[in-house]
Amino acid sequence: MADSAVIEESQPASDQRRQRVQAAETCLAVLKALANLGGRASLTAIGAAVDESPAKVHRYLASLMAEGLVEQDRGGTQYALGSEAIRVGLAAMRQCDPIRVAEPALIHLREALQVTSFVAVMGNMGPVIVRFEEPSLPVTVNVRVGSVMSMLWSATGRAFLAFMDSSPQVESLVQQELAQASPSRRAQLPGKKPLEQLQAEIRAAGCASIRDTNLPGISAVAAPLYDYTGHVVAVLCALGASGGFDPDPQGAVAQALCAEARTVSASLGFRAQS
């Protein structure tokens, strides 16, 4: 029987490269399937996930184990992500800065829609703008990097309120704003249980939107940014003059913003539930 090395040498270089690429793709598919299965799974489960025979998958798992990317438990029935895979994952997590990752989204929104866009994170006093982009013809607003946004009357704050995990800090800020609000402002909130209904409406829409609520003549839309744990780490917001800015959750601006937010969240490692 001819030696495999001889067979490979007899193949054209292009075929050899193609086979190596296909092998690498399958190997990565096996590794990603293991990760998607929770980081630990049987040979049968991994084979089903990549639609390959257990025998073929076993060969790729052996290669991954040789590199420390996969390990096998003592019973030999389960495979798990190895120390090298964990090291790679930790390195990737360290690069998942939501502000840096969101910068291309801000620029794209600014250039494609000619809107002001920014990213805000939750601070001690409320949502704080940390990155800000303006179009060539900016809208005059008194918010900049470092500005603290309202929890109840800004789209940014409402997005945090609806999508962020509940916390005593957020609850305290909301109750303080509610207590200080004028009767006319309180009347802008919906229903007999305004906070619960507001959260439900925003979650159903997938984003928070306002028109002339926080600043006269200004409309805005905001959507959450999730990290790999599924927690909200920031909010992406777009705003513009109410006369030329449609804040409707089904409108073009909101749909573009939500698409950018999903892209940023995916880059941060978030996997939406199907």
Side-chain angles (χ1 to χ4, degrees):
M1 182 179 292
D3 185 84
S4 59
V6 175
I7 294 175
E8 183 173 296
E9 288 176 0
S10 65
Q11 293 177 327
S14 60
D15 290 345
Q16 293 179 28
R17 285 195 298 272
R18 184 165 56 252
Q19 289 179 358
R20 286 196 293 270
V21 169
Q22 290 173 344
E25 289 176 345
T26 304
C27 206
L28 288 173
V30 168
L31 186 62
K32 288 193 288 186
L34 180 56
N36 291 336
L37 290 167
R40 181 178 295 273
S42 67
L43 177 61
T44 301
I46 299 170
V50 296
D51 196 24
E52 296 284 0
S53 69
K56 184 175 182 179
V57 170
H58 181 268
R59 293 197 298 271
Y60 287 104
L61 286 169
S63 297
L64 291 167
M65 287 193 296
E67 297 298 326
L69 292 166
V70 170
E71 60 185 23
Q72 198 170 16
D73 65 13
R74 292 180 181 178
T77 60
Q78 297 276 311
Y79 293 87
L81 295 176
S83 58
E84 286 301 306
I86 294 172
R87 187 176 66 83
V88 171
L90 289 172
M93 285 165 53
R94 285 193 291 270
Q95 296 183 48
C96 287
D97 175 4
I99 303 168
R100 179 184 62 81
V101 176
E103 285 184 0
L106 294 177
I107 295 171
H108 185 259
L109 288 169
R110 180 196 68 190
E111 295 180 350
L113 301 177
Q114 286 296 298
V115 296
T116 297
S117 58
F118 61 81
V119 173
V121 299
M122 183 59 68
N124 293 333
M125 303 300 293
V128 181
I129 297 176
V130 291
R131 187 74 167 82
F132 194 90
E133 288 288 340
E134 290 183 304
S136 55
L137 294 175
V139 177
T140 302
V141 290
N142 59 346
V143 292
R144 288 291 183 271
V145 170
S147 295
V148 178
M149 307 299 290
S150 165
M151 286 297 307
L152 282 178
W153 316 115
S154 73
T156 304
R158 289 184 176 188
F160 275 114
L161 176 63
F163 298 106
M164 189 178 182
D165 294 338
S166 60
S167 72
Q169 175 201 357
V170 171
E171 179 66 21
S172 176
L173 290 170
V174 170
Q175 292 302 326
Q176 183 178 352
E177 286 191 17
L178 195 59
Q180 295 174 349
S182 65
S184 60
R185 270 212 154 173
R186 291 174 67 99
Q188 296 177 19
L189 297 175
K192 294 182 179 179
K193 295 184 177 180
L195 297 183
E196 291 86 344
Q197 187 170 336
L198 181 64
Q199 288 174 310
E201 291 176 356
I202 293 170
R203 289 166 184 162
C207 61
S209 61
I210 62 169
R211 181 186 293 273
D212 304 328
T213 303
N214 192 41
L215 297 170
I218 299 296
S219 294
V221 180
L225 303 180
Y226 296 95
D227 68 3
Y228 68 99
T229 67
H231 293 114
V232 174
V233 290
V235 161
L236 183 65
C237 183
L239 62 82
S242 295
F245 184 102
D246 179 14
D248 189 303
Q250 300 303 316
V253 174
Q255 293 301 302
L257 180 91
C258 289
E260 294 290 347
R262 288 192 294 269
T263 299
V264 174
S265 296
S267 297
L268 293 172
F270 176 68
R271 295 181 65 85
Q273 296 295 323
S274 57

